[in-house]
Amino acid sequence: MLPAERLRLIKQLLTKKEELTTNEVALKLAVSKDTVRRDFDHLAQTGQACGFTAG
């Protein structure tokens, strides 16, 4: 899965649920928790999304 597609899917998941954990996203997208953490950081730093929690 390409990074842009993954970021789009994470944002879609956030519209359905106000808060997501790294574990939830990693399982749904079949990627590592480290990848999800980098994606969360990118989205937060660029102001595209918030509502992430560790776990």
Side-chain angles (χ1 to χ4, degrees), residues 26-51:
L27 288 173
K28 287 181 192 254
L29 302 183
V31 296
S32 73
K33 288 188 242 176
D34 288 334
T35 297
V36 174
R37 285 185 193 104
R38 284 192 297 273
D39 290 343
F40 282 0
D41 286 342
H42 173 75
L43 291 170
Q45 288 175 3
T46 58
Q48 295 181 56
C50 59

Side-chain angles (χ1 to χ4, degrees), residues 1-48:
M1 177 181 308
L2 296 173
E5 182 182 357
R6 197 172 55 246
L7 293 172
R8 183 184 58 77
L9 290 172
I10 290 171
K11 288 191 281 186
Q12 277 183 342
L13 290 171
L14 277 171
T15 62
K16 295 176 184 175
K17 186 176 178 183
E18 289 184 14
E19 192 169 293
L20 294 171
T21 66
T22 53
N23 284 341
E24 287 176 302
V25 176
L27 288 173
K28 287 181 192 254
L29 302 183
V31 296
S32 73
K33 288 188 242 176
D34 288 334
T35 297
V36 174
R37 285 185 193 104
R38 284 192 297 273
D39 290 343
F40 282 0
D41 286 342
H42 173 75
L43 291 170
Q45 288 175 3
T46 58
Q48 295 181 56

